[in-house]
Amino acid sequence: MPRYLLCAVPLATTALSSALVSCGAQDQVERLVPVVQQRYDFNTESFTQGLEVAQDGTLYIGTGQVGESRVYRATPEGEEIASEQIDPAFFGEGLTRAGDDLWQLTWQDGVAMRRDAGTLEELGRTTYAGEGWGVCSRQGEVILSDGTSQLRRMDPASFAERERFTVTLDGQPVQHLNELECVGGDIYANVFLTTDIMRIDASTGEVTAVIDASSLPNNAAPDPNNVLNGIAHIPGTDEFYLSGKRWPDLYRVTFEPAR
């Protein structure tokens, strides 16, 4: 649903046309907020970097910090089903399932780990240029973020880079794109160190909605790193899970128009 704004338009005729064009462009960007449907206990030791829902409703969770990073699978209620530690030299980042594989990133090591999506066992590694922050899977490709305004299209089998594209909001690049979630033709990306989530057209890179999650309670211990970081669509619904680094809460939410 588009948002509609009352624009302040100059009276000069020459300025009127450009102002209306600008206003019309902005009208296409929805302004949404998360509405909490349910809260679950979450693991306060999880420096959450990646969050994804499996088809059976369980969660894949990837965590960070050198020497502490791991990937684990759990129910929304917190029961752990499987867990694998990451090479202690690595700082774990985002993860996503692509077919029978689970790809997990590392921050500054340029290493992606391919895992068995069922057991989480590491099956192999490959490399990529630069940093890895977030990752999600869609329609024959994997999308990777590196903390800039660009996203990369990667091959889901080899993890080879295909191309890059820039994410823009009202024509301006959006920096610090982090954790990702692919849903149909959209990519959801949280903006690092903020409570904003961008909904991005996966074909054009244009932001189609800004989700202001500042109303979501952050009950983590005081620490500038303990920010919103974890977006996972619940298959077959219009709902999502949201959480953060060392958050004690996992929220099941819908995204609804801001009032």
Side-chain angles (χ1 to χ4, degrees), residues 66-67 86-91 109:
V66 173
I86 297 174
D87 184 322
F90 292 155
F91 190 118
D109 300 287

Side-chain angles (χ1 to χ4, degrees), residues 235-247:
T237 76
D238 61 354
E239 297 181 333
F240 292 75
Y241 290 120
L242 297 180
S243 192
K245 302 175 190 287
R246 304 191 186 102
W247 280 26

Side-chain angles (χ1 to χ4, degrees), residues 8-77:
V9 178
L11 294 179
T13 303
T14 55
L16 178 60
S17 176
S18 61
L20 286 175
V21 169
S22 176
C23 182
Q26 291 176 357
D27 283 350
Q28 303 308 309
V29 179
E30 293 185 72
R31 301 289 168 172
L32 306 175
V33 294
V35 176
V36 176
Q37 306 298 324
Q38 191 169 356
R39 178 208 163 272
Y40 304 86
D41 288 336
F42 205 54
N43 188 338
T44 57
E45 295 182 359
S46 292
F47 196 78
T48 304
Q49 302 288 70
L51 186 68
E52 186 162 316
V53 182
Q55 288 296 324
D56 65 358
T58 59
L59 299 172
Y60 293 110
I61 301 131
T63 75
Q65 299 293 356
V66 173
E68 301 176 13
S69 300
R70 67 172 178 142
V71 55
Y72 67 102
R73 194 170 180 178
T75 66
E77 293 77 19

Side-chain angles (χ1 to χ4, degrees), residues 58-62 70-75 78-85 102 115-121:
T58 59
L59 299 172
Y60 293 110
I61 301 131
R70 67 172 178 142
V71 55
Y72 67 102
R73 194 170 180 178
T75 66
E79 179 186 354
E80 288 196 19
I81 299 167
S83 178
E84 288 287 332
Q85 295 298 124
L102 191 71
R115 298 180 178 277
D116 182 286
T119 66
L120 306 183
E121 177 186 0

